[in-house]
């Protein structure tokens, strides 16, 4: 009698999350993420503990001025049209829940177009999960210099995702100096 070992592909659930096109869990390094802070791109430090569950990135306001963002690395960019009708998910937390400011919370640029999505509620002092689907009913708006424009259509989202050049997630929610925020578990294209 012979026994054969057949390798199997196992998709990990909660440890790695569901399959996605791109993911950052910050368990070993900052995975190429940067901060857009008052016009400069900087490298955020990796926090090895205190994440959701372990590693995470934190940023800090470097001055009074522009709203700062966590900026996704190359692995999240390019033709990600397969994310259409799927979700972008991430966890955020911030250092203060007072003096909150509204802003463009998730901004995607691509195909000569920009779209933005706003959180329904600001992150808390503990990890707050967010999820948005890439479809015309999830609240994506055309991003205009003067503020949010018209609702983004399915075609608008396909245009942006077909040639994604930038994905930014807002880190500044506090109106003042020295505010901090942290990000973890970013997944693009989850079911």
């Amino acid at each position: 009698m012979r026994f054969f070992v057949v390798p199997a592909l196992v998709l990990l659930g909660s440890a790695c999350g569901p399959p996605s096109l791109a993911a950052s869990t910050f368990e070993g390094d900052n995975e190429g993420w940067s901060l857009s802070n008052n016009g400069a791109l900087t490298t955020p430090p990796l926090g090895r503990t205190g994440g959701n569950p372990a590693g995470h990135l934190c940023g800090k306001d470097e001055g009074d001025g522009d709203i700062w963002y966590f900026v996704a690395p190359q692995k999240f960019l390019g033709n990600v049209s397969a994310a259409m009708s799927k979700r972008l998910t991430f966890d955020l937390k911030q250092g203060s829940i007072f003096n909150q400011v509204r802003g463009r919370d998730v901004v995607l640029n691509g195909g000569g177009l920009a779209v933005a999505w706003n959180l329904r509620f600001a992150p808390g002092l503990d990890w707050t999960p967010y999820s948005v689907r890439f479809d015309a009913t999830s609240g994506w708006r055309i991003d205009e210099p003067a503020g949010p424009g018209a609702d983004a259509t399915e075609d608008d989202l396909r245009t942006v995702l077909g040639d994604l050049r930038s994905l930014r997630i807002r880190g500044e929610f506090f109106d003042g100096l020295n505010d901090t925020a942290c990000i973890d578990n970013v997944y693009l294209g989850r079911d």
Side-chain angles (χ1 to χ4, degrees):
M1 180 183 258
R2 289 186 170 189
F3 293 95
F4 295 95
V5 176
V6 178
L9 174 63
V10 177
L11 296 175
L12 300 176
S14 62
C16 294
S20 61
L21 298 174
S24 286
T25 58
F26 312 112
E27 299 307 316
D29 59 33
N30 72 7
E31 300 188 34
W33 284 76
S34 57
L35 299 178
S36 172
N37 206 336
N38 290 318
L41 281 179
T42 59
T43 301
L46 174 70
R48 295 196 179 276
T49 61
N52 191 21
H56 64 289
L57 297 182
C58 289
K60 178 180 164 189
D61 194 1
E62 296 296 330
D64 197 17
D66 293 339
I67 301 244
W68 61 271
Y69 287 84
F70 294 100
V71 181
Q74 188 63 39
K75 70 180 177 179
F76 283 84
L77 308 179
N79 183 351
V80 295
S81 56
M84 193 67 192
S85 298
K86 296 186 179 194
R87 298 176 297 133
L88 171 67
T89 63
F90 53 93
D91 298 336
L92 289 174
K93 70 177 182 175
Q94 63 174 322
S96 175
I97 56 172
F98 300 104
N99 297 329
Q100 300 290 285
V101 294
R102 299 285 300 157
R104 299 159 34 233
D105 298 320
V106 177
V107 182
L108 308 174
N109 292 287
L113 187 62
V115 294
W117 180 75
N118 289 331
L119 308 175
R120 287 179 173 65
F121 51 90
L125 300 175
D126 293 319
W127 290 108
T128 306
Y130 294 97
S131 176
V132 59
R133 194 167 293 281
F134 294 110
D135 64 28
T137 64
S138 293
W140 291 98
R141 308 283 301 214
I142 301 298
D143 191 37
E144 302 285 349
D151 291 342
T153 66
E154 300 274 334
D155 286 340
D156 294 331
L157 290 168
R158 279 189 190 89
T159 296
V160 171
L161 295 175
D163 184 26
L164 189 60
R165 300 291 177 106
S166 170
L167 184 161
R168 296 179 293 145
I169 299 172
R170 183 161 67 118
E172 181 168 4
F173 296 90
F174 174 75
D175 185 16
L177 293 174
N178 300 319
D179 54 287
T180 61
C182 302
I183 192 168
D184 202 357
N185 303 319
V186 184
Y187 292 91
L188 174 69
R190 285 179 108 168
D191 287 324

